[in-house]
Amino acid sequence: MHAFAALLDSLIYTRGRNAKLKLIADYLHATPDPDRGWAMAALTGDLDLPAVKPALIRALIEARVDPVLFRMSRDYVGDTAETVALLWPAPAEQGVSTSLDTNGMMGGPSSPFAPSEVEGPVLTLTQAVDRLRAISRSDAPAALAAMLDRLDAEERFALLKMATGSLRIGVSARLAKTALAQGFGLEVDAVEELWHGLSPPYEPLFAWVRGEGAPPTPADTPVFRSFMLAHPLEDGAVDLADYAAEWKWDGIRVQLVHVAGETRLYSRTGDDVTASFPEVAASFRAPGVLDGELLVKGEAQGGEAASFNALQQRLGRKVVSSKMLADYPAFVRLYDILFDGAEDLRALPWTQRRARLEAFVPALDPDRFDLSQVIDAASFTELEAVRAGARDAAIEGVMLKRRDSPYVAGRRAGLWYKWKREPLTADCVMMYAQRGNGRRSSWYSDYTFGCWTAPPESGGELLPVGKAYQGITDQEIAELDRFVRTHTLHRFGPVREVEKTMVLEIAFDSIHASARHKSGLAMRFPRILRIRLDKPAMEADRLETLLKLAT
């Protein structure tokens, strides 16, 4: 555990991407199997330890220290694992008499851990994972407490982060896989494609990277392939003789894979989302791999694509009710074809893949699949006008794809561009502020803001319309933090209600009707554009203004 704990600690305090990559690669080289495999599972979010829940951790610490002290400390630190790791008392301080087995674990007939053949007090990462995977929820309190008693603060932090599945250390799954690839001289896309056919601790993968065998990919497994991505079109224009234009739909990008009678749906990050959209998977029975946008149909749109807000009702559900299937029917708007049967088409130019896709689509269920249409525009100027007038609920912008581009993983300069429509903006009043997480844990950096129901001089009230923490600099966060601390009206744990005098200009991609919010509205991707010190709060926007923008 000590080496893994030291890795997490170093990653937290390392800013640069290249430095993080080196830290992970060095760890993987220095660490034996299967420890390094479990470390990769933790870094990529593939480690599932269902017996340990946040409520259990809170109950354990509050049984050992003053609950008020814990909650106040958690409020200040901003991270439960770090707070518990620092506050956890030594066994002697708890007034608990414990006997230790040969591994330093709590012994006796009630212990969930039997002594292992490993001698000495060192607890390896593999031992920690094996024991947490093996315990039931009823055994979890004693088991976890015994492990925490045995570890130092740094190791306790690592154990709790790993157990809850939320590292939050500034390392994405892609970054961890990139570190593995670079550390062993591989292409990250090759590692990515193999990853989803394997399970932790990935011993066949590490055998392959050591040169001890072929890539460990079963031929009959529906395997994820890395998506081709686009660079933002910042300035300038492209020649439509070289580029095709199509709408950028506002759903979630998915890959449909059908191999050996089995279908899987993967998100852009490689997560298997098949269980959330079983009707789509059941309808895709043609051998191949397709790329498209997952959307839901809306009655208000006459069966066309509804807003992302409607799609959110389906996301993350492991069990989907018949009512949910009927109320939010899902379908995929298809962009590209990677495999036609067993034939790999990715090296073909876009024009040829498009022709193959157009030939592939008629065999699919039209209720579940359709083709993303190419925009008919004679020039870039004409395309600008078409894009400017697009406020369909499900349109996020325009995609520009070079006609001779192969399908390559990641972002490659000059091949694909995304040209999002200009954001909407509104002047809103800060209502509440909450402490951030990580390096922002000491700052009030998450802001809830609202708009007026009617002119304030006529009795209008503020209702929340969104929450944001992105878009501003550290200096501006410090400025808003001072405002929050000096203009607090009420405190609710880590949240403060503030005087309604600070105006923030908020940018957002779209806004939709929402029955879940008191204002009846929900913003899509809100972020703070600027602080409006020049504007009185009574001149902030009203809900009726936002309703006119709603799609």
Side-chain angles (χ1 to χ4, degrees):
M1 277 299 297
H2 182 74
F4 179 63
L7 173 66
L8 295 193
D9 191 61
S10 297
L11 289 170
I12 289 170
Y13 292 103
T14 300
R15 289 286 189 89
R17 181 176 183 274
N18 289 338
K20 287 178 183 283
L21 290 172
K22 186 176 187 306
L23 283 170
I24 298 171
D26 288 348
Y27 172 86
L28 295 175
H29 273 290
T31 305
D33 294 324
D35 272 19
R36 60 181 172 182
W38 291 120
M40 281 297 294
L43 291 171
T44 57
D46 289 343
L47 186 58
D48 185 21
L49 301 171
V52 181
K53 300 295 184 185
L56 164 63
I57 297 170
R58 290 194 297 270
L60 287 176
I61 190 65
E62 290 185 359
R64 287 160 172 78
V65 302
D66 183 345
V68 175
L69 172 63
F70 164 67
R71 291 167 191 169
M72 292 177 67
S73 300
R74 169 60 180 83
D75 178 26
Y76 184 79
V77 172
D79 183 274
T80 298
E82 184 176 359
T83 307
V84 173
L86 294 171
L87 283 178
W88 191 266
E93 297 172 1
Q94 300 177 35
V96 178
S97 177
T98 62
S99 60
L100 300 181
D101 65 22
T102 56
N103 290 305
M105 298 307 301
M106 290 177 67
S110 63
S111 173
F113 302 126
S116 75
E117 68 276 14
V118 180
E119 296 183 359
V122 175
L123 179 68
T124 68
L125 179 58
T126 299
Q127 286 174 326
V129 171
D130 286 346
R131 289 165 178 175
L132 289 176
R133 292 173 75 207
I135 59 176
S136 65
R137 289 194 180 180
S138 60
D139 288 333
L144 185 59
M147 297 176 78
L148 293 171
D149 283 344
R150 183 179 174 183
L151 302 173
D152 63 25
E154 189 177 74
E155 293 168 331
R156 287 194 292 265
F157 172 76
L159 178 71
L160 293 171
K161 281 291 191 181
M162 180 180 69
T164 55
S166 178
L167 295 185
R168 297 179 68 93
I169 56 170
V171 174
S172 66
R174 176 77 175 184
L175 188 92
K177 294 169 192 173
T178 301
L180 186 152
Q182 291 185 1
F184 291 92
L186 304 170
E187 291 291 330
V188 64
D189 297 322
V191 172
E192 187 86 70
E193 291 191 6
L194 294 175
W195 198 265
H196 299 278
L198 303 173
S199 300
Y202 316 115
E203 288 174 307
L205 176 65
F206 283 104
W208 172 59
V209 301
R210 292 194 304 267
E212 300 173 3
T217 309
D220 58 351
T221 300
V223 177
F224 168 80
R225 272 82 178 182
S226 296
F227 282 91
M228 185 168 180
L229 305 175
H231 280 284
L233 184 69
E234 302 291 355
D235 297 306
V238 300
D239 188 344
L240 293 189
D242 297 326
Y243 288 83
E246 57 184 291
W247 293 116
K248 187 179 190 303
W249 298 98
D250 191 14
I252 65 166
R253 189 99 171 267
V254 292
Q255 190 175 111
L256 292 142
V257 184
H258 183 86
V259 174
E262 185 179 3
T263 298
R264 286 285 181 268
L265 271 70
Y266 293 108
S267 71
R268 205 184 85 176
T269 55
D271 295 322
D272 189 334
V273 297
T274 309
S276 298
F277 301 93
E279 76 277 38
V280 174
S283 299
F284 187 65
R285 311 306 301 168
V289 180
L290 302 185
D291 176 356
E293 197 81 8
L294 184 64
L295 303 157
V296 299
K297 298 179 181 180
E299 292 183 8
Q301 287 75 28
E304 289 298 314
S307 69
F308 185 84
N309 187 54
L311 177 63
Q312 277 187 310
Q313 312 308 311
R314 294 284 304 270
L315 295 178
R317 294 179 181 269
K318 294 183 179 180
V319 178
V320 185
S321 67
S322 57
K323 184 178 188 306
M324 188 68 66
L325 291 170
D327 291 348
Y328 301 99
F331 72 104
V332 178
R333 186 149 287 163
L334 297 167
Y335 293 142
D336 216 320
I337 182 167
L338 285 65
F339 282 76
D340 188 348
E343 184 183 0
D344 189 346
L345 307 180
R346 290 175 291 179
L348 297 179
W350 175 86
T351 51
Q352 292 184 35
R353 295 198 314 279
R354 176 73 186 192
R356 295 288 291 267
L357 180 63
E358 290 174 355
F360 194 98
V361 169
L364 302 177
D365 182 351
D367 286 336
R368 299 295 174 206
F369 306 96
D370 66 18
L371 187 63
S372 180
Q373 297 300 316
V374 175
I375 300 172
D376 184 16
S379 66
F380 193 81
T381 302
E382 185 177 327
L383 181 62
E384 282 184 302
V386 173
R387 169 181 168 271
R391 278 296 168 192
D392 184 283
I395 290 178
E396 194 179 22
V398 169
M399 289 292 298
L400 295 159
K401 300 180 179 179
R402 191 168 177 86
R403 297 177 188 274
D404 60 359
S405 63
Y407 193 102
V408 290
R411 292 181 174 86
R412 303 296 176 91
L415 298 185
W416 285 10
Y417 291 104
K418 55 184 177 182
W419 190 24
K420 289 191 175 184
R421 59 188 181 185
E422 295 300 322
L424 303 168
T425 62
D427 289 332
C428 305
V429 180
M430 185 194 298
M431 301 176 67
Y432 306 97
Q434 183 174 346
R435 288 184 185 274
N437 284 290
R439 69 185 186 90
R440 289 186 173 184
S441 62
S442 297
W443 304 90
Y444 286 93
S445 59
D446 296 13
Y447 313 108
T448 299
F449 43 82
C451 289
W452 298 103
T453 57
E457 61 271 19
S458 302
E461 63 173 327
L462 285 168
L463 290 182
V465 295
K467 182 178 180 179
Y469 55 88
Q470 295 178 321
I472 53 177
T473 65
D474 288 348
Q475 182 179 347
E476 289 170 321
I477 290 174
E479 181 180 341
L480 291 177
D481 180 80
R482 284 194 296 272
F483 170 82
V484 171
R485 294 175 188 275
T486 56
H487 294 79
T488 296
L489 297 177
H490 303 286
R491 301 187 186 196
F492 308 96
V495 178
R496 293 193 185 196
E497 181 183 1
V498 298
E499 295 176 8
K500 313 305 185 294
T501 57
M502 175 63 72
V503 178
L504 304 174
E505 185 176 357
I506 304 297
F508 50 98
D509 287 358
S510 57
I511 189 165
H512 313 291
S514 172
R516 296 171 57 192
H517 297 82
K518 188 176 180 181
S519 65
L521 294 168
M523 289 179 172
R524 172 88 160 125
F525 288 142
R527 59 269 191 195
I528 301 165
L529 199 60
R530 58 179 172 146
I531 302 170
R532 294 295 307 269
L533 297 176
D534 60 315
K535 191 160 192 172
M538 65 178 57
E539 294 180 12
D541 284 317
R542 299 205 295 269
L543 289 180
E544 63 186 65
T545 302
L546 272 63
L547 282 167
K548 293 175 183 177
L549 301 175
T551 54

